[in-house]
Amino acid sequence: MTYRTFGRPTRRTVLRGAAAGAAVLAAPAILRAQGSTIRIGMPTILSGRVAILGQSSEAAAQLAVSEANEAGGIDGRMLELVVRDSAGKPDQATKVTRDLVNTEGCSVILDAEASGGSFAVNETVRDIKVYCIHTNSETSELTAAPKNQVEWVFRCARQGIHDAVGGGLYAANLSKEKGLTRWGTCSPDYAYGRSNTAEFMEYTKRFAPEIEVVVESWPKIFQPDYTENITALLNSAPQALYSCLWGGDLVAFFDQASLYGLFDQFETVAVNLGDYPVLEAIKALPTGIHSGSRYSSTVPDTEANRTWNDTYRAHSPVLPTNWAWQTYSGIKFMVEALKATGGDTDASKLAEATRGMTIDSPFGVNGTLTLRESDHTLIDYPVGYGLTLPEPPYIKNFQMTAWDEILKYEAEWKERNGYA
C-alpha cells in the first residue's frame, strides 16, 4: 500500500511561517508555528490503470499545501498532507479514511477518490463527523440527493448534470446539423458511468427529440479487452457514439477501437477525452472527436490559468488533469475555511465557514469559483465541448455553455427527481 506524506514543516519553513505571522500577531504567532501541524488526510487511487487520477490529484494538492505553508500556514500553523492509496476499491477507501483519522491524526479529509470510493468516504466521514471536501467524483447524486447530503461535507468537482446540460445542448445541435438520429453509448458499468450516460442522453433527446439510442454497451471498469463492446457497436451501426469512459480505460478503448476503424464510421462524443495524460497516451489520436472540457491551459484563456499551468508542470512529474485543478481548488477552499475558524478543525465550524464560499481562482469562468450554499457543490467552472487535434493544443474551438442556462435546467432536473 502506498503511503506518502507531504508538507511536513522543516525548521526553515516553520521559521518562514512564523515570520509571516509575526507581521500581524508578533510573539504569539511564533508559539503557534512551533505547535501542532494540521494534517490533511487524502484517500485516492495511486495504483492500477487509473492511477493517473491519484497521481495528478496528489501533485496538485501538494502544490496547494506548499503554497499555503509558504504564505505562513494557518495563523502560523503548518499544513501536512498525508496520502493513502485505496487502489480504487470502495472498501479500501473506507479503511484508508478511518486510518487517516484514527491512526495518522488527520483532522480533515480531502477525498480524491472516483465515484465508487467517494460514496464510501462520504458515509465514513458522516459516521465519524470529520470535515471533508470531495474533489473528483462527478456522480450527480453524491451531493444532489438529500439522502447523501452531510452538513460538513462539500464537493469541489464538476457534476454530471452540469456536463449533461452542456453536452446535451452541444450534441443536439450536432445531431440537427449532421442528421444524426441513431446514437449508441459505451460507458463504464458503475454508478458514474450509468448516471452520466443517462443524464447526457436525456438532455440530448430533450433538445433533439427525433434521436433514438439503438445500442448501449457497458464495459466493466478496468476491463482489459473491449472487443465485445466494439463489435456490438459496429453491428448496431449507430450514426453517433457517446462515451464517458475515462483515464486508462478510455485510452485502451480508443487504441483498440481505432484498429477496427470505429472512429471513421461514427461521430464520437467523449466527455472525458480532453485530459492531457489521456490525449498524449492514445497511440494515434483521431482528429475531430468531440471532447468535453476537462483541464486545458487555454480554458479559461487567461494569464492566471496559463501561470497555474506553468507552475503545476514545474512542480509535478505528471501532466495536469481535470482532477488536478479540482483537487488544487479543494485545498484552496479548505485553507480559507481553516483561516476563518482560526485553525479550529471542528466539522460544524468549518462547514459554516465553507457554505457559500467564493474564492478567486484561475479556473473560474469569471475568475472565481463558488461552493454553493444549497447543496455544497461547485459552480462557475468551464463547461463546454471542442474538437480534437492530433498535436498540441489537442482541442480547438471550445463552445462553452453559459451558467444561467445550466442552472435553469439543473433546477428542473432536481425538482423532477425529488431533490429540491
Side-chain angles (χ1 to χ4, degrees), residues 96 173 184 199 227 287 359 389 403:
V96 162
N173 290 335
E199 290 163 359
T227 301
T287 299
I359 61 171
L389 300 166
W403 268 94

Side-chain angles (χ1 to χ4, degrees), residues 52-123:
I52 187 64
L53 169 76
Q55 292 165 357
S56 63
S57 299
E58 178 186 67
Q62 183 184 4
L63 174 60
V65 166
S66 296
E67 289 177 349
N69 285 340
E70 289 289 330
I74 307 299
D75 208 14
R77 294 172 63 189
M78 299 293 99
L79 300 174
E80 187 176 351
L81 185 67
V82 185
V83 184
R84 298 284 296 270
D85 180 19
S86 69
K89 301 175 181 176
D91 59 341
Q92 190 66 12
T94 296
K95 180 181 183 305
V96 162
T97 302
R98 289 187 179 277
D99 286 348
L100 285 166
V101 174
N102 297 328
T103 305
E104 303 297 340
C106 296
S107 51
V108 293
I109 292 293
L110 187 85
D111 168 37
E113 293 284 339
S115 290
S118 282
F119 279 91
V121 172
N122 200 61
E123 292 311 304

Side-chain angles (χ1 to χ4, degrees), residues 5-312:
T5 301
F6 299 101
R8 189 184 297 278
T10 62
R11 180 174 181 276
R12 181 180 177 186
T13 309
V14 169
L15 291 174
R16 186 183 293 119
V24 179
L25 298 172
I30 297 176
L31 296 176
R32 278 191 289 273
Q34 294 171 337
S36 62
T37 58
I38 298 173
R39 306 194 89 190
I40 302 170
M42 179 176 167
T44 191
I45 304 172
L46 293 170
S47 55
R49 184 188 278 179
V50 297
I52 187 64
L53 169 76
Q55 292 165 357
S56 63
S57 299
E58 178 186 67
Q62 183 184 4
L63 174 60
V65 166
S66 296
E67 289 177 349
N69 285 340
E70 289 289 330
I74 307 299
D75 208 14
R77 294 172 63 189
M78 299 293 99
L79 300 174
E80 187 176 351
L81 185 67
V82 185
V83 184
R84 298 284 296 270
D85 180 19
S86 69
K89 301 175 181 176
D91 59 341
Q92 190 66 12
T94 296
K95 180 181 183 305
V96 162
T97 302
R98 289 187 179 277
D99 286 348
L100 285 166
V101 174
N102 297 328
T103 305
E104 303 297 340
C106 296
S107 51
V108 293
I109 292 293
L110 187 85
D111 168 37
E113 293 284 339
S115 290
S118 282
F119 279 91
V121 172
N122 200 61
E123 292 311 304
T124 303
V125 296
R126 183 205 297 270
D127 181 44
I128 59 180
K129 197 174 182 181
V130 171
Y131 174 83
C132 172
I133 296 182
H134 301 295
T135 63
N136 288 339
S137 172
E138 301 176 22
T139 303
S140 301
E141 286 75 10
L142 180 64
T143 50
K147 67 179 182 181
N148 296 323
Q149 292 173 354
V150 182
E151 179 189 338
W152 47 88
V153 177
F154 297 80
R155 187 231 298 263
C156 182
R158 62 174 66 249
Q159 188 177 158
I161 186 60
H162 298 161
D163 271 341
V165 173
L169 284 164
Y170 182 90
N173 290 335
L174 180 67
S175 294
K176 293 174 181 175
E177 177 187 341
K178 298 195 173 186
L180 309 175
T181 58
R182 292 167 51 83
W183 279 69
T185 67
C186 183
S187 294
D189 188 14
Y190 76 116
Y192 164 72
R194 292 276 179 175
S195 66
N196 176 286
T197 301
E199 290 163 359
F200 176 89
M201 293 312 308
E202 174 188 349
Y203 279 92
T204 301
K205 288 192 283 189
R206 175 166 185 165
F207 302 128
E210 64 276 15
I211 74 165
E212 60 175 334
V213 177
V214 297
V215 57
E216 293 180 325
S217 188
W218 302 102
K220 302 295 182 185
I221 192 168
F222 308 157
Q223 178 174 307
D225 186 347
Y226 292 87
T227 301
E228 181 181 348
N229 311 99
I230 294 166
T231 301
L233 293 170
L234 291 170
N235 288 340
S236 300
Q239 296 168 301
L241 170 68
Y242 174 72
S243 177
C244 68
L245 287 166
W246 56 278
D249 284 2
L250 182 58
V251 173
F253 174 74
F254 259 70
D255 284 342
Q256 293 177 32
S258 291
L259 298 176
Y260 290 85
L262 187 146
F263 304 112
D264 298 328
Q265 300 182 46
F266 311 149
E267 202 80 31
T268 301
V269 177
V271 65
N272 295 323
L273 181 60
D275 267 321
Y276 289 114
V278 173
L279 293 164
E280 296 203 354
I282 293 173
K283 292 177 182 174
L285 179 67
T287 299
I289 303 296
H290 304 269
S291 170
S293 53
R294 308 304 289 171
Y295 173 71
S296 172
S297 61
T298 60
V299 181
D301 189 11
T302 62
E303 186 62 33
N305 189 24
R306 288 188 288 275
T307 298
W308 185 86
N309 181 68
D310 293 342
T311 303
Y312 173 93

